[in-house]
Amino acid sequence: MAKLRGGVIRPDYDRADTRVGVVHFGPGAFHRAHQAFYFDRMLARDPTLAICAVSLHSDTVRAALEPQDGLYSLTEREAENVVRVIGAIRQVLTAPRSPQAVFARLVDPAVRLVTATVTEKGYCLSPGGDLDLDLPAIRQDLGRTTEPQTLVGWLVEGLRRRRAAGLGGLTAIACDNLSGNGERFARSARQFARASGQADLAHWIEGEVRFPGTMVDAITPASDDILRAEAAERLGLSDAWPIQRERFVQWVIADELGAEAETFAAAGVTLAGDVAAFERAKLRVLNGSHSTLAYVGLRLGYQSVCEAMADPELAGFIERLMRLDMAPGLTLTPGLDVSAYVAEILARFRNPAIVHKLAQIAWDGSQKLPIRLLQPISEALAAGRPVERLAVGVAAWMQFVCRQVANEAPITDPLAPLLSAVARRCGGDPARDVAAFLEIEAIFGPELPRRAPFRNALEAAYRRLGGGQPRLALKP
């Protein structure tokens, strides 16, 4: 670090004085841009919160960071980029390569936090939110505890060993976009313990381990050769795996951290009594508007979020959608200023330093729309509010699917075969096309398609978007 060029922000603590107090599973780009950034802030206040980063499968993170003593650069992209070196990661392990070292950390009395970013699939849950005991990896972990494959396998065996050593529990924090992630993580751990014949351990976990709910947010584009070249120029040194994200970053955690709360809050973490309210705001205001912007923007010929937001008419429509349609369905809670949150998201969408492809946001619409748009539509109908703007994003998605099929382009979606079959039946008639899509009960359910105001709004939006003047759908 002594050789870094000027202008690079360095850790404001002595790394030699830090000690590992956090075991993190899944040290991918998002963790290094998000939680590690926050812990880097915390270390100046509490030097015992350094991270042992554990990869569950791949050895690539260890191979890149270990020769760099766990150091790497984070570029925050805005009009003026900020480059900082993150020093929070003191050890990097690959679980299959060093299983005993991982367990040694989990039973280290100094470790009091386990965090995870393993994607929603990594929690091995059934559609109902319980641990999926039929998954081969779970079955294997239940029968062989010395070298687990799954996050829950590592956690529960680590907790068993802590208990056997006479140590107390710890705090386990899921940092993935999983609704109700704290409760689901807790339930999966207890169910795993019971399924392995350790009902007493499940009871101990319930009493000794905290699983606070969380909400995380930061757009983190993948590292590429352009970033590597930029990082080398700014640092004056080579970085094997630099990370980049937008300047905005948010971490909301249920106010259940006990003695750690003050340190987390001082680092910028929002401690909330109602994490679900923040999660709901993100799903509606951010994600729902993001999906609408993607499908409408693609219809108008745009490729990226910032390019689409440079269109005043489209940007105005998205702002009205946020303020007039999404915001009224939110739960007010301390710490959540909805008007300021909307303004923040609009600024993020306009950030030219982050090139977020609309086509990527458009993926997996069958999974995203029910939560992001259809649920707000159902609630608006129940409250007697209009749904015309909300229906535009749904209609634009339908036309997106039809265009992909007509152009023989792939549809990235778990229901791709069904969506393709429906699209082939569509011929441009709004009533018939909309009716064909509404038959997909896995997306729309049985009740919503029967609501005349929704159906009428959807057909009207479909007609405007499909005609020669698609911008008519954006009029106030």
Side-chain angles (χ1 to χ4, degrees), residues 298 398-412 423:
L298 288 168
M398 292 175 174
Q399 293 193 357
F400 166 77
V401 172
C402 290
R403 286 198 308 276
Q404 293 294 99
V405 170
N407 295 331
E408 298 184 352
I411 298 174
T412 303

Side-chain angles (χ1 to χ4, degrees), residues 114-130:
V114 171
T115 57
T117 48
V118 294
T119 76
E120 293 86 331
K121 292 180 181 178
Y123 295 88
C124 302
L125 303 177
S126 69
D130 292 308

Side-chain angles (χ1 to χ4, degrees), residues 152-450:
V152 69
W154 280 104
L155 177 64
V156 173
E157 175 60 14
L159 291 172
R160 186 196 68 77
R161 296 185 184 203
R162 285 182 74 91
R163 183 187 180 213
L167 301 175
L170 39 70
T171 300
I173 307 176
C175 304
D176 287 286
N177 291 320
L178 187 69
S179 181
N181 55 16
E183 172 53 31
R184 293 189 180 202
F185 197 14
R187 190 160 68 243
S188 71
R190 295 193 299 266
Q191 289 174 338
F192 186 97
R194 291 192 188 97
S196 63
Q198 303 178 86
D200 57 336
L201 177 60
H203 182 72
W204 183 85
I205 290 172
E206 189 167 13
E208 295 290 329
V209 184
R210 288 183 293 211
F211 293 85
T214 69
M215 192 276 280
V216 295
D217 191 12
I219 296 172
T220 308
S223 301
D224 54 21
D225 289 339
I226 294 175
L227 174 64
R228 291 183 182 90
E230 288 180 357
E233 175 63 26
R234 289 291 297 269
L235 300 169
L237 300 167
S238 174
D239 184 353
W241 204 329
I243 299 297
Q244 60 183 334
R245 65 158 162 78
E246 62 177 334
R247 181 76 54 81
F248 176 90
V249 60
Q250 185 179 37
W251 195 3
V252 181
I253 305 180
D255 195 0
E256 302 169 6
L257 294 178
E260 316 289 352
E262 192 174 335
T263 300
F264 273 69
V269 176
T270 299
L271 302 180
D274 185 5
V275 173
F278 287 86
E279 182 184 75
R280 187 183 181 91
K282 179 187 175 185
L283 287 170
R284 305 293 178 85
V285 181
L286 173 63
N287 298 140
S289 300
H290 225 193
S291 288
T292 299
L293 181 67
Y295 297 122
V296 177
L298 288 168
R299 173 66 181 92
L300 297 178
Y302 298 122
Q303 301 300 314
S304 68
V305 170
C306 61
E307 183 187 4
M309 287 297 289
D311 181 327
E313 197 169 18
L314 178 53
F317 174 84
I318 293 297
E319 181 168 3
R320 290 192 297 276
L321 179 73
M322 291 180 178
R323 295 192 184 279
L324 303 180
D325 300 292
M326 296 298 191
L330 301 181
T331 303
L332 298 180
T333 190
L336 177 60
D337 183 331
V338 175
S339 181
Y341 186 57
V342 168
E344 220 166 32
I345 292 172
L346 289 169
R348 295 169 66 189
F349 284 2
R350 290 189 172 99
N351 184 356
I354 297 291
V355 181
H356 203 169
K357 296 294 185 182
L358 297 179
Q360 183 178 354
I361 301 168
W363 293 349
D364 301 323
S366 72
Q367 310 300 296
K368 296 173 180 176
L369 290 188
I371 299 171
R372 298 182 178 190
L373 290 174
L374 299 182
Q375 194 170 330
I377 286 171
S378 294
E379 292 174 7
L381 289 171
R385 297 194 301 268
V387 297
E388 281 73 19
R389 274 182 296 268
L390 289 164
V392 169
V394 182
W397 167 74
M398 292 175 174
Q399 293 193 357
F400 166 77
V401 172
C402 290
R403 286 198 308 276
Q404 293 294 99
V405 170
N407 295 331
E408 298 184 352
I411 298 174
T412 303
D413 194 291
L415 298 184
L418 176 57
L419 294 175
S420 297
V422 170
R424 291 190 192 97
R425 291 163 48 199
C426 295
D429 178 81
R432 295 182 65 179
D433 292 2
V434 165
F437 275 99
L438 291 181
E439 290 175 3
I440 308 176
E441 192 167 318
I443 300 175
F444 294 96
E447 299 299 329
L448 190 57
R450 299 175 187 169

Side-chain angles (χ1 to χ4, degrees), residues 3-10 234-235:
K3 297 181 180 180
L4 287 169
R5 287 181 175 165
V8 177
I9 300 174
R10 297 156 169 79
R234 289 291 297 269
L235 300 169

